[in-house]
C-alpha cells in the first residue's frame, strides 16, 4: 500500500527537460533510494514528490490527497506536519542554537517553547549530539551538524523523510554513522525515506531503488 505516488511527472527548466515522464511510488515505512547520473533529474523528482516544485504535468498523491489540487497553505501545512527534509548541507539556521534549530518545526506548528525544546533535547540525545544543544551550527563539526539536521527532520514525527545526498558533505565514517542513525530512527518511527544519492554504499541501506536517467525513473526491486 503506497503512501506516496508520483505519476508521469514532467518538469522543464528553460530548454532542459529535467523530468520527462517520471513515476515512482513510496510504501509506508519504505526506504527508497533514488539513483542516477548527475543532472538526470533526481533532485527535481524529489522536489516534485515533496510538493516543493510543481510539475507541469503528472500527479503526486499523498495518502489520497493530490498535492497540485491543494492550496499553497494546505500544501505547506502538509509538508510541515507529514514530511521531513534533510539536505546535503544541513541548512540549519545559523543564528539559532542547535537545540533551537531542532525545536523550530515544533514552534512553527504552534507548540510552546518549553515543550518544543524538551522534545528537541530528546532528539538530540537520540542522534547522540546532546552536547551541541547550546552551540550554534557554525561551532559544531559537519557530522554533528548533519545529525542535528536529522533530529530536526524527525522531531515532528513525519511519515516521509526526503533526504537529498544527506551524507554528500561528510567523510565515509561520519556518513555511515549519519545514515545508520537516520535509517534506525526512521524504522523505529515507521517513517518512509526518499533518499537521493549517487553513492551505491548509501543506496545499500534502502529497501528498493529507483533509477533516474534523462528525467525518466525506472523502479528496481532489490535483489538481496
Ligand atoms: P540531479 O539531481 O540528478 O543532479 P537535477 O534534478 O538537479 O538532477 O537536474 C536535472 C536537470 O535540470 C539538470 O540539467 C539541471 O541543470 C536542470 N535544473 C534543475 N533545477 C534547475 C533550475 N532550478 N533551473 C534550471 N535548470 C535546472
Ligand atoms: P543536486 O543535484 O546535488 O541536488 P544541484 O547542484 O544539481 O544539486 O542543484 C542544487 C540546486 O540548484 C537545486 O535546487 C536545483 O534545482 C538548482 N539547479 C540545478 N541546476 C540548475 C540550473 N542549471 N540553473 C538553476 N538552478 C539549478
Amino acid at each position: 500500500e503506497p503512501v506516496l505516488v508520483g505519476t508521469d511527472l514532467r518538469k522543464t527548466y528553460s530548454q532542459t527537460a529535467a523530468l520527462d515522464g517520471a513515476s515512482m511510488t513510496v510504501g509506508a515505512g519504505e526506504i527508497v533510494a533514488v539513483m542516477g547520473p548527475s543532472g538526470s533529474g533526481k533532485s527535481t523528482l524529489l522536489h516534485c514528490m515533496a510538493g516543493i516544485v510543481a510539475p507541469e504535468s503528472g500527479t503526486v498523491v499523498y495518502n489520497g490527497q493530490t498535492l497540485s489540487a491543494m492550496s499553497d497553505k494546505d500544501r505547506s501545512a502538509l509538508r510541515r506536519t507529514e514530511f521531513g527534509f534533510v539536505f546535503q548541507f544541513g541548512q540549519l539556521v545559523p543564528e539559532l542554537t542547535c537545540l533551537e534549530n531542532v525545536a523550530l518545526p515544533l514552534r512553527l506548528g504552534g507548540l510552546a517553547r518549553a515543550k518544543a525544546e524538551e522534545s528537541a533535547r530528546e532528539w538530540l540525545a537520540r542522534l547522540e549530539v546532546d552536547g551541541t544543544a547550546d552551540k550554534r551550527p557554525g561551532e559544531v563539526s559537519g557530522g554533528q551538524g548533519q545529525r542535528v539536521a536529522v533530529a530536526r527532520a524527525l522531531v515532528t514525527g513525519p511519515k516521509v523523510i526526503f533526504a537529498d545526498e544527506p551524507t554528500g558533505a561528510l567523510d565515509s565514517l561520519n556518513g555511515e554513522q549519519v545514515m545508520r542513525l537516520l535509517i534506525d530512527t526512521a524504522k523505529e518511527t515507521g517513517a518512509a525515506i526518499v533518499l537521493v544519492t549517487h553513492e551505491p554504499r548509501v543506496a545499500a541501506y534502502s529497501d528498493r531503488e529507483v533509477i533516474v536517467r534523462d528525467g525518466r525513473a525506472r523502479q528496481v526491486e532489490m535483489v538481496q
Side-chain angles (χ1 to χ4, degrees):
E1 174 83 353
V3 286
L4 186 63
V5 181
T7 307
D8 203 17
L9 301 169
R10 286 165 207 277
K11 176 69 191 174
T12 303
Y13 291 109
S14 47
Q15 309 291 5
T16 313
L19 289 183
D20 188 19
S23 300
M24 71 175 287
T25 63
V26 183
E30 190 181 32
I31 298 167
V32 183
V34 178
M35 302 200 67
S38 182
S40 58
K42 302 183 296 297
S43 292
T44 307
L45 179 57
L46 179 142
H47 292 151
C48 287
M49 295 295 286
I52 297 170
V53 162
E56 279 124 23
S57 67
T59 56
V60 177
V61 178
Y62 172 73
N63 271 340
Q65 302 171 86
T66 302
L67 299 191
S68 60
M70 301 172 75
S71 67
D72 287 351
K73 188 163 167 273
D74 288 349
R75 202 167 35 245
S76 315
L78 180 119
R79 272 201 306 269
R80 199 177 60 237
T81 55
E82 304 284 300
F83 297 166
F85 295 91
V86 186
F87 296 107
Q88 178 167 358
F89 300 102
Q91 304 195 337
L92 298 171
V93 181
E95 294 80 12
L96 299 181
T97 64
C98 290
L99 183 73
E100 288 165 343
N101 265 282
V102 177
L104 188 60
L106 297 174
R107 299 283 288 133
L108 293 174
L111 201 64
R113 186 189 182 100
K115 288 253 184 248
E117 294 196 348
E118 188 186 321
S119 284
R121 214 172 275 284
E122 282 166 18
W123 275 101
L124 285 176
R126 239 164 132 168
L127 274 298
E128 301 167 10
V129 281
D130 354 9
T132 66
D134 299 325
K135 294 183 175 156
R136 289 179 210 287
E139 299 170 322
V140 306
S141 73
Q144 289 173 324
Q146 265 323 60
R147 291 176 189 220
V148 174
V150 170
R152 190 181 57 177
L154 287 159
V155 73
T156 55
K159 299 292 189 298
V160 185
I161 297 158
F162 295 91
D164 194 348
E165 302 281 4
T167 63
L170 303 179
D171 63 43
S172 57
L173 179 62
N174 272 301
E176 207 148 304
Q177 289 172 343
V178 166
M179 276 312 299
R180 199 28 49 232
L181 287 162
L182 175 60
I183 301 285
D184 287 352
T185 43
K187 289 282 181 198
E188 276 168 40
T189 61
I193 306 181
V194 180
L195 173 65
V196 167
T197 182
H198 64 271
E199 293 181 70
R201 269 162 33 96
V202 174
Y205 289 98
S206 70
D207 299 318
R208 190 161 56 84
E209 291 182 8
V210 169
I211 312 290
V212 184
R213 274 189 212 290
D214 300 330
R216 291 174 161 274
R218 186 165 61 85
Q219 320 271 329
V220 179
E221 296 300 330
M222 290 289 270
V223 183
Q224 301 283 359

